Amino acid sequence: MAYLELNNICKTYGQSDGETEVLSNINLKIEEGEFVAIVGFTGSGKTTLVNLINGLIKPTSGTVLFKGEPVDGTSHERGVIFQNYSLLPWLTVGQNVFMAVKEAFPKKNKKELHEIVANYVEMVSLTPAINKRPNELSGGMRQRVAVARALAMKPEMIIMDEPLGALDALTRGNLQDEILNIWGKDKRTALLITNDVDEGIYMADRIIPLRPGPNATLGPEFKIDLERPRDKTEMNDNPNFKKTRNEIIEYLMDIGNERKSEAKEEYILPDLVPKDFVNQFKFGR
Amino acid sequence: MKASLTLGKVTNFLGLGFFITLKDLFTGKLEKEEFKNFLRKTIVPLVSILLFIGLWHLGAKSLYNIEAKFKIEKALQDQGQVAADALKTCMVSGESSCQPNTLPSPSQVWNSFQSLLRDHNIISADKAAFIEKTAAMNEKRVAAGKAAIVYTGRPSFVDQVFTSLQTVFAGFLLALLIAVPLGIFIGLSPNLKSAFNWFIQIFKPVSPVVWYLLVFMIVKTLLIGSTEDSSFTISFISVGLCSMWATLVNTAMGVSTVDKDYINVAKVLKLGTFQKIFKVVLPSSLPLIFTGLKITLSVAWMVLIAIELLAQSPGLGLFVWEEFQNGANDSNAKIIVAMFAIGIIGFLLDRLMLMIQNWVSFDKTDAI
């Protein structure tokens, strides 16, 4: 039995005539301790998939099983890092994390809870900013708070919905390493949703492309056989890496081309020729 | 340094930031760009104020001339040349009894303002003397179980202002206590929303006068047999009911349109219902609630005058009405003084709310 199992998931939005099937026939198995990345174009239904797994929405048909039990609503066992940080702007960094910790460990006393908060804020190296509000922080810092908040609840599984999408390359690289570090420390199960193939290869054990929606389905999986810890610069010369990367990108490109050829409508451009002003004026002379 | 910084904050909150620039001007710390800014913020308003007073003065003068001309002509037709000449000389001499009754000039208003202040001083002195005189007797009366004797003399203009403020704050508090909780419930529950929607739509545009009459009907019956003066109760309830709609609508809207991300966070953290309302929904709708409260306070202050006037409850509204009925030669000027007092206090109340909003709300850029 897999740790997380998605069986024949379909999700439709709207009613009767306006109904669109966003996800159809999604099957996915994730083992405990695994790091899986799902790569897809924007608008292919990635966020819907994440919300199905963390329990924010229910599938139209099919089942989501977490440790053999059907998912019903959200749970502290599955921590989520949202795409847009989703920090509460009226709370400081510490308060944002504290709120999560307090809910996750209702039995601990205030002092213990504050210790946990301090630890995780320190882990994402935001201790100097612990009393700042989110709008005083940069994008990267905010995302680190979101990471700290999700991890401080000590979830068994971390679900990340394009967590680094809005960040610049440098911050992105640093945060990738930080997440990997934390994941490596106590080998939690992780699911990363991303649109960046390189990020997926660098971080995950397996990459599964999501064919774009409507009717999005999962494509064939690609195993990443690279030793951990991975080194970004070395990786670029690794033939294995190059091969996998090309395969995935080719696959995604093919899907893209398929999508284009599916569009049957042909657009006829008007038959226009630029006016010849030169000859006109010559004639006038 | 720190003190001046907080002072700067306070004046900025109050929209009186130019005081700080004024200070910089004298200490010579002003750059060119800042100087332009300073001009815009101080000189332009000052010039416009002077312009306003000038226009007012000219307008009042021409109205005075029209009225004077008419009066003299009338005296000429009715009573003959001698009476007309007598009236003319009387007017020129500035004798107050024969002045035409029209829009008062700025200087008349200023004089009335000062006379109202003098009046206040006299009345306060009188009141203090009365209290001193009756202190010993009151002590005995209280000891004997009788009610103390209170000062029942005429209230001064300043006293009326404070009574009005009391009425407004009581009304505002009533509006706050009804509208905010009700708005939260309506915002949270779609059922309540459809149950209350017609109610809000119908009662929102009802005029203050009608609110007053409605409250009067109800309170009169409820307090039947009571000898106490119910005018204050009636007026503050009317003010509250009249002004609470903005807060009600804004609160309901703020609560029902909380950012979906925040709701998702609440769900993922598995917050309980109370936690969700107090830690997520309310803080995020606070800016809108405060916008509603700000509107409520200004509406309350605006309708207060009409309601006090109808309810005959002491305050600025009654002051204006009595001065109008009085028809003394400085009554018009006193009405204008009351008008400015109402306007300026309304402005200060608005700034006060803004200050509280800035202090409470997380979104420092939103509040204007």
Side-chain angles (χ1 to χ4, degrees):
Chain A
M1 189 189 68
Y3 190 68
L4 179 84
E5 235 181 292
L6 275 69
N7 295 321
N8 297 319
I9 297 285
C10 290
K11 178 70 193 173
T12 56
Y13 282 119
Q15 282 161 349
S16 57
D17 281 355
E19 193 177 76
T20 43
E21 198 173 33
V22 181
L23 298 174
S24 66
N25 256 326
I26 300 271
N27 287 294
L28 175 68
K29 281 194 170 82
I30 298 178
E31 299 298 331
E32 191 160 2
E34 226 185 345
F35 198 128
V36 175
I38 291 177
V39 182
F41 294 109
T42 44
S44 57
K46 290 177 301 212
T47 301
T48 309
L49 186 63
V50 167
N51 286 348
L52 278 169
I53 296 171
N54 66 34
L56 279 174
I57 53 176
K58 285 196 172 130
T60 314
S61 67
T63 49
V64 183
L65 296 177
F66 180 69
K67 295 200 286 187
E69 301 277 323
V71 165
D72 180 30
T74 55
S75 157
H76 289 156
E77 293 175 319
R78 297 184 299 279
V80 188
I81 302 173
F82 288 103
Q83 189 172 1
N84 40 13
Y85 327 135
S86 296
L87 300 175
L88 302 179
W90 51 88
L91 298 181
T92 64
V93 170
Q95 285 166 335
N96 263 297
V97 180
F98 182 79
M99 194 166 140
V101 175
K102 200 176 148 208
E103 288 303 313
F105 311 107
K107 281 177 194 154
K108 295 204 169 166
N109 66 33
K110 242 184 173 169
K111 206 184 145 210
E112 288 174 307
L113 293 177
H114 279 296
E115 265 168 32
I116 297 174
V117 171
N119 278 341
Y120 279 88
V121 172
E122 174 65 44
M123 191 183 71
V124 292
S125 41
L126 279 178
T127 305
I130 193 162
N131 287 324
K132 285 195 173 153
R133 301 256 166 97
N135 59 3
E136 296 170 86
L137 305 177
S138 67
M141 288 161 101
R142 284 183 212 183
Q143 193 53 284
R144 267 153 46 199
V145 181
V147 170
R149 182 177 65 182
L151 294 175
M153 297 173 83
K154 299 226 168 84
E156 295 178 28
M157 181 177 180
I158 317 166
I159 302 165
M160 294 166 272
D161 180 10
E162 293 198 40
L164 313 174
L167 305 180
D168 62 283
L170 209 64
T171 328
R172 207 173 173 158
N174 287 340
L175 262 177
Q176 283 170 356
D177 289 338
E178 263 173 54
I179 293 174
L180 278 177
N181 235 335
I182 297 157
W183 171 78
K185 253 185 221 160
D186 36 23
K187 279 287 173 193
R188 293 175 202 164
T189 314
L191 176 67
L192 171 75
I193 309 277
T194 180
N195 55 14
D196 181 351
V197 177
D198 287 358
E199 183 175 282
I201 297 176
Y202 179 59
M203 296 177 79
D205 299 320
R206 265 198 296 156
I207 290 190
I208 305 167
L210 184 68
R211 299 172 63 94
N215 302 324
T217 52
L218 292 177
E221 63 168 49
F222 296 88
K223 281 232 185 281
I224 314 292
D225 289 323
L226 292 172
E227 282 285 307
R228 286 182 194 274
R230 294 167 186 170
D231 185 302
K232 263 194 192 143
T233 35
E234 268 176 41
M235 237 168 63
N236 284 330
D237 301 324
N238 187 323
N240 213 338
F241 166 77
K242 282 185 192 162
K243 204 177 120 232
T244 330
R245 185 170 184 271
N246 285 343
E247 275 172 9
I248 297 172
I249 288 177
E250 255 169 51
Y251 179 80
L252 288 172
M253 297 269 278
D254 283 347
I255 302 174
N257 289 336
E258 255 174 60
R259 256 222 297 202
K260 265 183 215 153
S261 58
E262 269 169 26
K264 291 230 172 62
E265 210 174 320
E266 218 176 295
Y267 298 101
I268 300 160
L269 295 176
D271 186 21
L272 292 176
V273 179
K275 212 172 179 180
D276 192 349
F277 285 104
V278 181
N279 281 333
Q280 205 181 352
F281 286 118
K282 270 183 191 162
F283 186 72
R285 266 182 219 162
Chain B
M1 189 63 212
K2 181 139 197 192
S4 83
L5 221 142
T6 39
L7 183 72
K9 269 186 185 165
V10 169
T11 44
N12 269 331
F13 268 145
L14 294 170
L16 305 169
F18 64 84
F19 276 135
I20 296 304
T21 359
L22 204 64
K23 197 192 81 193
D24 284 350
L25 183 76
F26 292 121
T27 47
K29 281 195 293 191
L30 230 47
E31 297 290 319
K32 197 181 171 195
E33 203 46 44
E34 281 175 332
F35 185 70
K36 270 187 191 164
N37 222 346
F38 162 77
L39 282 185
R40 194 171 303 127
K41 275 191 173 159
T42 46
I43 303 299
V44 173
L46 273 180
V47 167
S48 71
I49 288 172
L50 289 178
L51 214 66
F52 172 78
I53 292 176
L55 278 176
W56 174 13
H57 178 78
L58 291 177
K61 202 170 181 184
S62 76
L63 286 175
Y64 176 94
N65 287 339
I66 294 170
E67 190 86 21
K69 206 173 147 200
F70 178 80
K71 259 188 153 180
I72 293 168
E73 222 140 86
K74 197 156 182 275
L76 185 68
Q77 275 168 14
D78 294 353
Q79 299 160 0
Q81 188 65 47
V82 183
D85 285 344
L87 186 64
K88 211 172 186 175
T89 43
C90 172
M91 271 181 194
V92 174
S93 73
E95 173 75 39
S96 64
S97 62
C98 51
Q99 291 302 317
N101 191 13
T102 183
L103 178 73
S105 69
S107 62
Q108 278 172 307
V109 170
W110 178 248
N111 288 339
S112 287
F113 174 63
Q114 284 181 323
S115 88
L116 281 172
L117 283 187
R118 272 197 302 277
D119 186 44
H120 171 69
N121 286 337
I122 294 167
I123 291 178
S124 321
D126 192 29
K127 200 172 171 180
F130 178 83
I131 288 171
E132 202 180 321
K133 213 160 62 183
T134 53
M137 208 209 302
N138 272 341
E139 237 168 68
K140 275 184 209 158
R141 282 179 70 97
V142 170
K146 288 190 210 160
I149 300 171
V150 286
Y151 182 76
T152 52
R154 183 171 59 89
S156 74
F157 178 71
V158 180
D159 295 336
Q160 310 257 47
V161 169
F162 281 106
T163 326
S164 278
L165 280 174
Q166 256 172 30
T167 317
V168 156
F169 277 117
F172 176 72
L173 223 62
L174 180 77
L176 181 104
L177 290 179
I178 296 176
V180 172
L182 194 63
I184 291 170
F185 286 125
I186 291 175
L188 286 176
S189 143
N191 286 334
L192 271 181
K193 196 174 187 176
S194 25
F196 270 99
N197 195 26
W198 67 270
F199 182 81
I200 295 172
Q201 300 301 340
I202 289 179
F203 284 94
K204 201 169 59 168
V206 168
S207 117
V209 176
V210 181
W211 273 116
Y212 162 73
L213 295 175
L214 186 78
V215 174
F216 175 73
M217 290 173 216
I218 297 168
V219 172
K220 188 192 71 167
T221 315
L222 285 181
L223 292 181
I224 209 158
S226 155
T227 51
E228 264 181 52
D229 182 17
S230 60
S231 63
F232 174 76
T233 318
I234 294 175
S235 53
F236 95 78
I237 293 178
S238 313
V239 167
L241 290 183
C242 218
S243 60
M244 71 176 201
W245 303 97
T247 303
L248 183 62
V249 172
N250 267 20
T251 307
M253 188 159 111
V255 169
S256 62
T257 56
V258 173
D259 196 328
K260 202 147 186 288
D261 288 344
Y262 304 154
I263 299 289
N264 279 348
V265 170
K267 278 188 188 158
V268 167
L269 299 186
K270 287 189 93 70
L271 296 180
T273 316
F274 271 99
Q275 290 265 348
K276 190 174 127 189
I277 293 174
F278 283 103
K279 296 244 162 116
V280 178
V281 173
L282 277 186
S284 99
S285 40
L286 216 54
L288 261 181
I289 295 179
F290 260 92
T291 312
L293 286 176
K294 229 168 75 183
I295 299 172
T296 286
L297 188 60
S298 57
V299 169
W301 185 244
M302 202 166 74
V303 301
L304 172 89
I305 307 304
I307 282 172
E308 274 180 352
L309 189 156
L310 275 173
Q312 294 291 299
S313 98
L316 274 175
L318 193 65
F319 174 84
V320 169
W321 186 241
E322 279 175 349
E323 286 303 330
F324 179 67
Q325 295 291 328
N326 184 357
N329 57 338
D330 64 344
S331 282
N332 286 358
K334 279 183 183 167
I335 291 173
I336 305 285
V337 172
M339 188 188 92
F340 278 111
I342 292 163
I344 289 167
I345 291 169
F347 170 70
L348 289 179
L349 287 179
D350 193 67
R351 289 286 135 177
L352 182 75
M353 279 304 285
L354 191 67
M355 214 164 99
I356 299 173
Q357 180 175 7
N358 276 328
W359 178 52
V360 177
S361 173
F362 62 94
D363 195 352
K364 306 285 181 207
T365 52
D366 195 48
I368 294 161

